[in-house]
Amino acid sequence: MARLLEGKPVAEKIRQDIVKEIETLGKKPVLASVMVGDNSGAEAYVKSQKKIAEALGVEYQLHKLSSGTTEHALAEFIEKLNKDKSVNGIIIQMPLPQQIDYKLISQHIQPDKDIEGMHPANIGKVVFGKAKLIPCTAAAVMELLNAAEVELKGKEVVVVGHSEIVGKPLALLLLDKLATVTVCHIGTFEAKKLEEHVRKAEILIVAVGKAELIPGDWVKDGAVVIDVGINRVGDRVVGDIEHEGAFRHASIITPVPGGVGPLTVVMLMRNLVEAAKLQK
Ligand code: NAD
């Protein structure tokens, strides 16, 4: 039977640290959030970001641009925010209209204002183990492992999912802690090798976005399990791992919802404070 590793208490502790850091900054940090078009998908995120920001003493500025905004016009708008000394961090809300390529547009954000940690300059620093602005979800997973005092050195860690925002940066952060990291993805699945890798994992982290892709019985006895997935199935939200079965085998497991989720926005705010310090 596993111990449930909930995100809320970990997030709460980091929130307290952020409030203290903001006090020492001597000025409310300013987060500029850019939303293009009427975007019901992003509205919920914006609302929760704003609420957390304000509770921490962060000024949250929402900039709504019309749905017809071109990539060039958005790049110019970002340039304006880059030059604005009162703005400490910039985020672009997803999804974007189809005329805008997120990968291209996110590179216009000045690296020291890139609080999502997605600029190549910041990702590059993750490679060298010197990053200050780390992609939020990957940072959230590392915080959970740290809070649960999970030893990473020499451990067999399997990450399922190799996206730029989660799997890839996470693999680098884990390598930096001298874990033995295997990254699985759609290619592993199609080669029918997912099960053999997952079964080996002493620490299993899954970020795919497919409801209960990993059967609980694949989880090694005593494993630490972090489920990043958020999937809506009818009126339920489930992870990428079949929770009940995994709970029987794991020593520690995150719930969905309530595991990684509560930490992600807090990581964004921590990056904002880091950004403000970098700009000083
Ligand atoms: P993505 O779509 O960018 O990447 C999905 C990854 O899964 C890819 O590497 C792909 O190769 C792999 N994959 C797809 N099907 C697979 C299969 N059958 N077997 C093995 N690998 C497979 O996704 P993402 O943006 O990294 O998000 C992944 C999940 O994490 C989603 O459910 C998302 O909602 C969730 N997420 C949660 C948080 C949070 O705060 N908890 C934050 C970000 C993402």
Side-chain angles (χ1 to χ4, degrees):
M1 283 272 265
R3 170 159 73 87
L4 212 53
L5 175 56
E6 293 188 274
K8 263 200 183 148
V10 184
E12 188 45 46
K13 160 103 196 18
I14 299 168
R15 282 171 74 134
Q16 287 168 12
D17 295 343
I18 294 174
V19 170
K20 280 189 212 137
E21 291 244 38
I22 290 179
E23 279 167 13
T24 63
L25 280 177
K27 163 192 170 292
K28 259 189 174 197
V30 175
L31 190 165
S33 161
V34 183
M35 190 161 129
V36 186
D38 280 333
N39 188 335
S40 57
E43 295 277 0
Y45 279 120
V46 167
K47 233 171 140 180
S48 94
Q49 284 169 358
K50 188 170 189 300
K51 196 169 149 202
I52 292 175
E54 289 173 354
L56 293 173
V58 164
E59 185 179 327
Y60 191 89
Q61 294 176 352
L62 179 61
H63 302 274
K64 283 188 173 182
L65 307 185
S66 73
S67 58
T69 302
T70 62
E71 206 164 81
H72 180 72
L74 181 55
E76 282 189 335
F77 189 78
I78 291 169
E79 199 45 46
K80 228 171 65 186
L81 295 174
N82 284 339
K83 288 198 178 117
D84 183 342
K85 287 209 161 57
S86 72
V87 171
N88 301 107
I90 304 168
I91 55 174
I92 301 168
Q93 298 296 338
M94 295 293 286
L96 286 164
Q98 56 177 10
Q99 73 272 18
I100 297 170
D101 179 343
Y102 175 77
K103 279 190 190 162
L104 290 179
I105 206 70
S106 61
Q107 295 187 20
H108 287 272
I109 298 175
Q110 197 168 288
D112 66 357
K113 293 193 177 186
D114 165 40
I115 56 171
E116 287 183 294
M118 293 307 296
H119 191 284
N122 287 322
I123 295 281
K125 286 184 183 156
V126 175
V127 174
F128 292 108
K130 298 258 180 265
K132 296 272 185 207
L133 303 174
I134 298 171
C136 302
T137 311
V141 172
M142 294 304 287
E143 283 298 334
L144 278 171
L145 292 170
N146 185 41
E149 297 179 346
V150 176
E151 173 68 46
L152 294 170
K153 189 174 172 184
K155 287 287 162 62
E156 203 68 57
V157 183
V158 175
V159 178
V160 187
H162 77 319
S163 70
E164 279 93 14
I165 64 162
V166 195
K168 282 184 190 169
L170 191 53
L172 293 168
L173 294 168
L174 291 161
L175 280 175
D176 217 40
K177 301 284 180 197
L178 299 181
T180 304
V181 185
T182 304
V183 183
C184 301
H185 40 70
I186 189 68
T188 324
F189 175 82
E190 287 177 1
K192 300 198 178 355
K193 290 184 175 162
L194 191 57
E195 179 176 355
E196 77 181 63
H197 288 292
V198 169
R199 282 192 182 277
K200 276 191 321 204
E202 292 172 288
I203 300 169
L204 173 66
I205 305 165
V206 185
V208 169
K210 294 206 169 134
E212 300 179 334
L213 171 75
I214 309 290
D217 276 348
W218 288 7
V219 171
K220 190 182 173 84
D221 284 332
V224 173
V225 178
I226 310 279
D227 192 346
V228 183
I230 302 174
N231 309 286
R232 248 164 245 289
V233 178
D235 56 1
R236 289 189 316 143
V237 173
V238 300
D240 290 343
I241 302 168
E242 187 253 310
H243 187 84
E244 253 174 57
F247 190 84
R248 282 196 293 273
H249 293 282
S251 59
I252 296 176
I253 187 167
T254 55
V256 176
V260 181
L263 271 161
T264 314
V265 188
V266 176
M267 291 296 114
L268 184 72
M269 300 304 155
R270 192 171 72 180
N271 277 349
L272 177 71
V273 173
E274 278 306 316
K277 290 202 290 197
L278 287 172
Q279 291 151 30
K280 261 194 164 178

PDB file of all heavy atoms in Angstrom, residues 137 160-163 165-166 184-186 189 194 207-210 213 228-231 240 260-261 264, ligand 1:
ATOM      1  N   THR A 137       6.338  22.474 -15.090  1.00  0.00           N
ATOM      2  CA  THR A 137       5.853  21.139 -14.713  1.00  0.00           C
ATOM      3  C   THR A 137       7.027  20.231 -14.337  1.00  0.00           C
ATOM      4  O   THR A 137       6.947  19.465 -13.372  1.00  0.00           O
ATOM      5  CB  THR A 137       5.022  20.517 -15.849  1.00  0.00           C
ATOM      6  OG1 THR A 137       4.072  21.491 -16.278  1.00  0.00           O
ATOM      7  CG2 THR A 137       4.287  19.288 -15.388  1.00  0.00           C
ATOM      8  N   VAL A 160       7.884   8.540 -18.916  1.00  0.00           N
ATOM      9  CA  VAL A 160       7.111   8.236 -20.124  1.00  0.00           C
ATOM     10  C   VAL A 160       6.544   9.555 -20.634  1.00  0.00           C
ATOM     11  O   VAL A 160       5.791  10.239 -19.935  1.00  0.00           O
ATOM     12  CB  VAL A 160       5.980   7.211 -19.856  1.00  0.00           C
ATOM     13  CG1 VAL A 160       5.312   6.801 -21.181  1.00  0.00           C
ATOM     14  CG2 VAL A 160       6.520   5.981 -19.138  1.00  0.00           C
ATOM     15  N   GLY A 161       6.893   9.914 -21.869  1.00  0.00           N
ATOM     16  CA  GLY A 161       6.521  11.211 -22.449  1.00  0.00           C
ATOM     17  C   GLY A 161       7.791  12.020 -22.672  1.00  0.00           C
ATOM     18  O   GLY A 161       8.619  12.121 -21.757  1.00  0.00           O
ATOM     19  N   HIS A 162       7.971  12.557 -23.880  1.00  0.00           N
ATOM     20  CA  HIS A 162       9.210  13.315 -24.157  1.00  0.00           C
ATOM     21  C   HIS A 162       8.891  14.696 -24.725  1.00  0.00           C
ATOM     22  O   HIS A 162       9.555  15.199 -25.617  1.00  0.00           O
ATOM     23  CB  HIS A 162      10.143  12.513 -25.072  1.00  0.00           C
ATOM     24  CG  HIS A 162       9.788  12.486 -26.534  1.00  0.00           C
ATOM     25  ND1 HIS A 162       8.487  12.350 -26.998  1.00  0.00           N
ATOM     26  CD2 HIS A 162      10.570  12.592 -27.630  1.00  0.00           C
ATOM     27  CE1 HIS A 162       8.510  12.357 -28.314  1.00  0.00           C
ATOM     28  NE2 HIS A 162       9.757  12.510 -28.722  1.00  0.00           N
ATOM     29  N   SER A 163       7.866  15.351 -24.149  1.00  0.00           N
ATOM     30  CA  SER A 163       7.520  16.691 -24.640  1.00  0.00           C
ATOM     31  C   SER A 163       8.553  17.705 -24.165  1.00  0.00           C
ATOM     32  O   SER A 163       9.290  17.464 -23.209  1.00  0.00           O
ATOM     33  CB  SER A 163       6.133  17.101 -24.125  1.00  0.00           C
ATOM     34  OG  SER A 163       6.183  17.333 -22.736  1.00  0.00           O
ATOM     35  N   ILE A 165       7.871  20.489 -22.721  1.00  0.00           N
ATOM     36  CA  ILE A 165       7.541  21.133 -21.448  1.00  0.00           C
ATOM     37  C   ILE A 165       7.702  20.196 -20.239  1.00  0.00           C
ATOM     38  O   ILE A 165       7.864  20.657 -19.130  1.00  0.00           O
ATOM     39  CB  ILE A 165       6.127  21.789 -21.432  1.00  0.00           C
ATOM     40  CG1 ILE A 165       5.021  20.760 -21.578  1.00  0.00           C
ATOM     41  CG2 ILE A 165       6.009  22.871 -22.462  1.00  0.00           C
ATOM     42  CD1 ILE A 165       3.673  21.299 -21.125  1.00  0.00           C
ATOM     43  N   VAL A 166       7.615  18.887 -20.475  1.00  0.00           N
ATOM     44  CA  VAL A 166       7.723  17.987 -19.318  1.00  0.00           C
ATOM     45  C   VAL A 166       8.883  16.981 -19.474  1.00  0.00           C
ATOM     46  O   VAL A 166       9.921  17.103 -18.824  1.00  0.00           O
ATOM     47  CB  VAL A 166       6.405  17.220 -19.020  1.00  0.00           C
ATOM     48  CG1 VAL A 166       6.466  16.600 -17.629  1.00  0.00           C
ATOM     49  CG2 VAL A 166       5.162  18.079 -19.152  1.00  0.00           C
ATOM     50  N   CYS A 184      10.750   7.069 -22.319  1.00  0.00           N
ATOM     51  CA  CYS A 184       9.895   6.326 -23.244  1.00  0.00           C
ATOM     52  C   CYS A 184       8.911   7.290 -23.897  1.00  0.00           C
ATOM     53  O   CYS A 184       8.622   8.364 -23.360  1.00  0.00           O
ATOM     54  CB  CYS A 184       9.093   5.260 -22.499  1.00  0.00           C
ATOM     55  SG  CYS A 184      10.109   4.070 -21.627  1.00  0.00           S
ATOM     56  N   HIS A 185       8.382   6.907 -25.054  1.00  0.00           N
ATOM     57  CA  HIS A 185       7.486   7.789 -25.810  1.00  0.00           C
ATOM     58  C   HIS A 185       6.689   6.942 -26.785  1.00  0.00           C
ATOM     59  O   HIS A 185       6.689   5.704 -26.675  1.00  0.00           O
ATOM     60  CB  HIS A 185       8.301   8.883 -26.519  1.00  0.00           C
ATOM     61  CG  HIS A 185       9.577   8.352 -27.081  1.00  0.00           C
ATOM     62  ND1 HIS A 185       9.590   7.500 -28.150  1.00  0.00           N
ATOM     63  CD2 HIS A 185      10.851   8.486 -26.649  1.00  0.00           C
ATOM     64  CE1 HIS A 185      10.840   7.149 -28.390  1.00  0.00           C
ATOM     65  NE2 HIS A 185      11.629   7.730 -27.485  1.00  0.00           N
ATOM     66  N   ILE A 186       6.075   7.614 -27.729  1.00  0.00           N
ATOM     67  CA  ILE A 186       5.212   6.889 -28.661  1.00  0.00           C
ATOM     68  C   ILE A 186       5.986   5.806 -29.430  1.00  0.00           C
ATOM     69  O   ILE A 186       5.445   4.733 -29.713  1.00  0.00           O
ATOM     70  CB  ILE A 186       4.479   7.889 -29.620  1.00  0.00           C
ATOM     71  CG1 ILE A 186       3.403   7.202 -30.454  1.00  0.00           C
ATOM     72  CG2 ILE A 186       5.460   8.663 -30.486  1.00  0.00           C
ATOM     73  CD1 ILE A 186       2.211   6.699 -29.690  1.00  0.00           C
ATOM     74  N   PHE A 189       6.159   2.785 -27.317  1.00  0.00           N
ATOM     75  CA  PHE A 189       4.833   2.133 -27.289  1.00  0.00           C
ATOM     76  C   PHE A 189       4.621   1.328 -28.569  1.00  0.00           C
ATOM     77  O   PHE A 189       4.222   0.164 -28.526  1.00  0.00           O
ATOM     78  CB  PHE A 189       3.760   3.224 -27.148  1.00  0.00           C
ATOM     79  CG  PHE A 189       2.351   2.723 -27.218  1.00  0.00           C
ATOM     80  CD1 PHE A 189       1.732   2.179 -26.096  1.00  0.00           C
ATOM     81  CD2 PHE A 189       1.624   2.797 -28.406  1.00  0.00           C
ATOM     82  CE1 PHE A 189       0.421   1.723 -26.156  1.00  0.00           C
ATOM     83  CE2 PHE A 189       0.321   2.347 -28.469  1.00  0.00           C
ATOM     84  CZ  PHE A 189      -0.287   1.802 -27.342  1.00  0.00           C
ATOM     85  N   LEU A 194       6.983  -0.644 -24.083  1.00  0.00           N
ATOM     86  CA  LEU A 194       6.669   0.221 -22.945  1.00  0.00           C
ATOM     87  C   LEU A 194       6.612  -0.579 -21.635  1.00  0.00           C
ATOM     88  O   LEU A 194       7.194  -0.192 -20.628  1.00  0.00           O
ATOM     89  CB  LEU A 194       5.349   0.951 -23.214  1.00  0.00           C
ATOM     90  CG  LEU A 194       4.999   2.074 -22.259  1.00  0.00           C
ATOM     91  CD1 LEU A 194       6.091   3.124 -22.206  1.00  0.00           C
ATOM     92  CD2 LEU A 194       3.672   2.734 -22.664  1.00  0.00           C
ATOM     93  N   ALA A 207       3.946  11.370 -18.230  1.00  0.00           N
ATOM     94  CA  ALA A 207       3.350  12.617 -18.739  1.00  0.00           C
ATOM     95  C   ALA A 207       3.033  12.409 -20.217  1.00  0.00           C
ATOM     96  O   ALA A 207       3.814  12.772 -21.092  1.00  0.00           O
ATOM     97  CB  ALA A 207       4.312  13.790 -18.549  1.00  0.00           C
ATOM     98  N   VAL A 208       1.895  11.796 -20.466  1.00  0.00           N
ATOM     99  CA  VAL A 208       1.516  11.439 -21.836  1.00  0.00           C
ATOM    100  C   VAL A 208       0.224  12.148 -22.258  1.00  0.00           C
ATOM    101  O   VAL A 208       0.130  12.724 -23.341  1.00  0.00           O
ATOM    102  CB  VAL A 208       1.359   9.900 -21.970  1.00  0.00           C
ATOM    103  CG1 VAL A 208       0.700   9.529 -23.292  1.00  0.00           C
ATOM    104  CG2 VAL A 208       2.724   9.211 -21.871  1.00  0.00           C
ATOM    105  N   GLY A 209      -0.793  12.084 -21.394  1.00  0.00           N
ATOM    106  CA  GLY A 209      -2.090  12.663 -21.755  1.00  0.00           C
ATOM    107  C   GLY A 209      -3.038  11.622 -22.330  1.00  0.00           C
ATOM    108  O   GLY A 209      -3.864  11.925 -23.181  1.00  0.00           O
ATOM    109  N   LYS A 210      -2.898  10.355 -21.864  1.00  0.00           N
ATOM    110  CA  LYS A 210      -3.822   9.288 -22.276  1.00  0.00           C
ATOM    111  C   LYS A 210      -4.325   8.601 -21.016  1.00  0.00           C
ATOM    112  O   LYS A 210      -3.520   8.028 -20.247  1.00  0.00           O
ATOM    113  CB  LYS A 210      -3.130   8.283 -23.189  1.00  0.00           C
ATOM    114  CG  LYS A 210      -2.743   8.908 -24.510  1.00  0.00           C
ATOM    115  CD  LYS A 210      -2.643   7.923 -25.651  1.00  0.00           C
ATOM    116  CE  LYS A 210      -2.525   8.700 -26.952  1.00  0.00           C
ATOM    117  NZ  LYS A 210      -1.485   8.201 -27.830  1.00  0.00           N
ATOM    118  N   LEU A 213      -3.215   4.970 -19.340  1.00  0.00           N
ATOM    119  CA  LEU A 213      -2.394   4.235 -20.318  1.00  0.00           C
ATOM    120  C   LEU A 213      -1.578   3.121 -19.643  1.00  0.00           C
ATOM    121  O   LEU A 213      -1.409   2.037 -20.194  1.00  0.00           O
ATOM    122  CB  LEU A 213      -1.437   5.235 -21.005  1.00  0.00           C
ATOM    123  CG  LEU A 213      -0.355   4.642 -21.897  1.00  0.00           C
ATOM    124  CD1 LEU A 213      -0.948   4.178 -23.217  1.00  0.00           C
ATOM    125  CD2 LEU A 213       0.755   5.654 -22.160  1.00  0.00           C
ATOM    126  N   VAL A 228       1.689  12.715 -14.026  1.00  0.00           N
ATOM    127  CA  VAL A 228       1.529  14.110 -14.446  1.00  0.00           C
ATOM    128  C   VAL A 228       0.244  14.298 -15.271  1.00  0.00           C
ATOM    129  O   VAL A 228      -0.309  15.387 -15.350  1.00  0.00           O
ATOM    130  CB  VAL A 228       2.767  14.571 -15.274  1.00  0.00           C
ATOM    131  CG1 VAL A 228       2.674  16.036 -15.656  1.00  0.00           C
ATOM    132  CG2 VAL A 228       4.054  14.312 -14.507  1.00  0.00           C
ATOM    133  N   GLY A 229      -0.248  13.243 -15.838  1.00  0.00           N
ATOM    134  CA  GLY A 229      -1.384  13.319 -16.775  1.00  0.00           C
ATOM    135  C   GLY A 229      -2.649  13.888 -16.155  1.00  0.00           C
ATOM    136  O   GLY A 229      -2.937  13.674 -14.977  1.00  0.00           O
ATOM    137  N   ILE A 230      -3.361  14.639 -16.979  1.00  0.00           N
ATOM    138  CA  ILE A 230      -4.680  15.156 -16.578  1.00  0.00           C
ATOM    139  C   ILE A 230      -5.615  14.818 -17.735  1.00  0.00           C
ATOM    140  O   ILE A 230      -5.461  15.356 -18.833  1.00  0.00           O
ATOM    141  CB  ILE A 230      -4.661  16.686 -16.374  1.00  0.00           C
ATOM    142  CG1 ILE A 230      -3.627  17.086 -15.315  1.00  0.00           C
ATOM    143  CG2 ILE A 230      -6.045  17.208 -15.996  1.00  0.00           C
ATOM    144  CD1 ILE A 230      -3.442  18.584 -15.162  1.00  0.00           C
ATOM    145  N   ASN A 231      -6.546  13.913 -17.488  1.00  0.00           N
ATOM    146  CA  ASN A 231      -7.454  13.500 -18.572  1.00  0.00           C
ATOM    147  C   ASN A 231      -8.879  13.504 -18.060  1.00  0.00           C
ATOM    148  O   ASN A 231      -9.159  12.976 -16.987  1.00  0.00           O
ATOM    149  CB  ASN A 231      -7.111  12.068 -19.017  1.00  0.00           C
ATOM    150  CG  ASN A 231      -5.626  11.889 -19.320  1.00  0.00           C
ATOM    151  OD1 ASN A 231      -5.137  12.353 -20.330  1.00  0.00           O
ATOM    152  ND2 ASN A 231      -4.905  11.222 -18.425  1.00  0.00           N
ATOM    153  N   ASP A 240      -2.563   9.333 -16.144  1.00  0.00           N
ATOM    154  CA  ASP A 240      -2.090   8.452 -17.216  1.00  0.00           C
ATOM    155  C   ASP A 240      -1.829   7.038 -16.690  1.00  0.00           C
ATOM    156  O   ASP A 240      -1.490   6.142 -17.448  1.00  0.00           O
ATOM    157  CB  ASP A 240      -0.775   8.999 -17.799  1.00  0.00           C
ATOM    158  CG  ASP A 240      -0.988  10.275 -18.592  1.00  0.00           C
ATOM    159  OD1 ASP A 240      -2.136  10.560 -18.973  1.00  0.00           O
ATOM    160  OD2 ASP A 240       0.013  10.990 -18.835  1.00  0.00           O
ATOM    161  N   VAL A 260       0.631  16.707  -9.028  1.00  0.00           N
ATOM    162  CA  VAL A 260       1.515  17.688  -9.677  1.00  0.00           C
ATOM    163  C   VAL A 260       0.790  19.026  -9.903  1.00  0.00           C
ATOM    164  O   VAL A 260       1.380  20.103  -9.756  1.00  0.00           O
ATOM    165  CB  VAL A 260       2.027  17.125 -11.034  1.00  0.00           C
ATOM    166  CG1 VAL A 260       2.962  18.109 -11.717  1.00  0.00           C
ATOM    167  CG2 VAL A 260       2.713  15.779 -10.825  1.00  0.00           C
ATOM    168  N   GLY A 261      -0.497  18.936 -10.245  1.00  0.00           N
ATOM    169  CA  GLY A 261      -1.270  20.119 -10.626  1.00  0.00           C
ATOM    170  C   GLY A 261      -1.116  21.328  -9.709  1.00  0.00           C
ATOM    171  O   GLY A 261      -0.759  22.411 -10.173  1.00  0.00           O
ATOM    172  N   THR A 264       2.206  23.415 -10.220  1.00  0.00           N
ATOM    173  CA  THR A 264       2.685  23.997 -11.474  1.00  0.00           C
ATOM    174  C   THR A 264       2.598  25.526 -11.482  1.00  0.00           C
ATOM    175  O   THR A 264       3.556  26.200 -11.839  1.00  0.00           O
ATOM    176  CB  THR A 264       1.916  23.383 -12.670  1.00  0.00           C
ATOM    177  OG1 THR A 264       1.873  21.980 -12.479  1.00  0.00           O
ATOM    178  CG2 THR A 264       2.607  23.672 -13.970  1.00  0.00           C
TER     179      THR A 264
HETATM  180  P1  NAD B   1       2.426  16.171 -25.286  1.00  0.00           P
HETATM  181  O1  NAD B   1       1.218  15.802 -26.076  1.00  0.00           O
HETATM  182  O2  NAD B   1       3.234  17.347 -25.671  1.00  0.00           O
HETATM  183  O3  NAD B   1       3.415  14.910 -25.274  1.00  0.00           O
HETATM  184  C1  NAD B   1       2.924  13.613 -25.088  1.00  0.00           C
HETATM  185  C2  NAD B   1       4.062  12.638 -24.972  1.00  0.00           C
HETATM  186  O4  NAD B   1       3.509  11.359 -24.773  1.00  0.00           O
HETATM  187  C3  NAD B   1       4.948  12.533 -26.203  1.00  0.00           C
HETATM  188  O5  NAD B   1       6.279  12.383 -25.790  1.00  0.00           O
HETATM  189  C4  NAD B   1       4.474  11.260 -26.894  1.00  0.00           C
HETATM  190  O6  NAD B   1       5.492  10.605 -27.650  1.00  0.00           O
HETATM  191  C5  NAD B   1       4.066  10.439 -25.702  1.00  0.00           C
HETATM  192  N1  NAD B   1       3.053   9.424 -26.011  1.00  0.00           N
HETATM  193  C6  NAD B   1       1.883   9.607 -26.671  1.00  0.00           C
HETATM  194  N2  NAD B   1       1.213   8.433 -26.728  1.00  0.00           N
HETATM  195  C7  NAD B   1       1.975   7.524 -26.093  1.00  0.00           C
HETATM  196  C8  NAD B   1       1.824   6.140 -25.831  1.00  0.00           C
HETATM  197  N3  NAD B   1       0.743   5.463 -26.216  1.00  0.00           N
HETATM  198  N4  NAD B   1       2.799   5.518 -25.151  1.00  0.00           N
HETATM  199  C9  NAD B   1       3.909   6.188 -24.734  1.00  0.00           C
HETATM  200  N5  NAD B   1       4.108   7.489 -24.950  1.00  0.00           N
HETATM  201  C10 NAD B   1       3.145   8.147 -25.629  1.00  0.00           C
HETATM  202  O7  NAD B   1       1.949  16.253 -23.777  1.00  0.00           O
HETATM  203  P2  NAD B   1       2.414  17.185 -22.540  1.00  0.00           P
HETATM  204  O8  NAD B   1       2.113  18.594 -22.852  1.00  0.00           O
HETATM  205  O9  NAD B   1       3.779  16.810 -22.091  1.00  0.00           O
HETATM  206  O10 NAD B   1       1.354  16.704 -21.445  1.00  0.00           O
HETATM  207  C11 NAD B   1       1.264  15.367 -21.030  1.00  0.00           C
HETATM  208  C12 NAD B   1       0.191  15.222 -19.970  1.00  0.00           C
HETATM  209  O11 NAD B   1       0.567  15.978 -18.838  1.00  0.00           O
HETATM  210  C13 NAD B   1      -1.197  15.761 -20.385  1.00  0.00           C
HETATM  211  O12 NAD B   1      -2.196  14.958 -19.787  1.00  0.00           O
HETATM  212  C14 NAD B   1      -1.228  17.139 -19.771  1.00  0.00           C
HETATM  213  O13 NAD B   1      -2.556  17.561 -19.489  1.00  0.00           O
HETATM  214  C15 NAD B   1      -0.479  16.884 -18.496  1.00  0.00           C
HETATM  215  N6  NAD B   1       0.128  18.089 -17.929  1.00  0.00           N
HETATM  216  C16 NAD B   1      -0.132  18.312 -16.617  1.00  0.00           C
HETATM  217  C17 NAD B   1       0.393  19.410 -16.006  1.00  0.00           C
HETATM  218  C18 NAD B   1       0.111  19.611 -14.546  1.00  0.00           C
HETATM  219  O14 NAD B   1       0.226  20.719 -14.052  1.00  0.00           O
HETATM  220  N7  NAD B   1      -0.229  18.556 -13.803  1.00  0.00           N
HETATM  221  C19 NAD B   1       1.180  20.316 -16.718  1.00  0.00           C
HETATM  222  C20 NAD B   1       1.472  20.036 -18.061  1.00  0.00           C
HETATM  223  C21 NAD B   1       0.941  18.897 -18.653  1.00  0.00           C
END
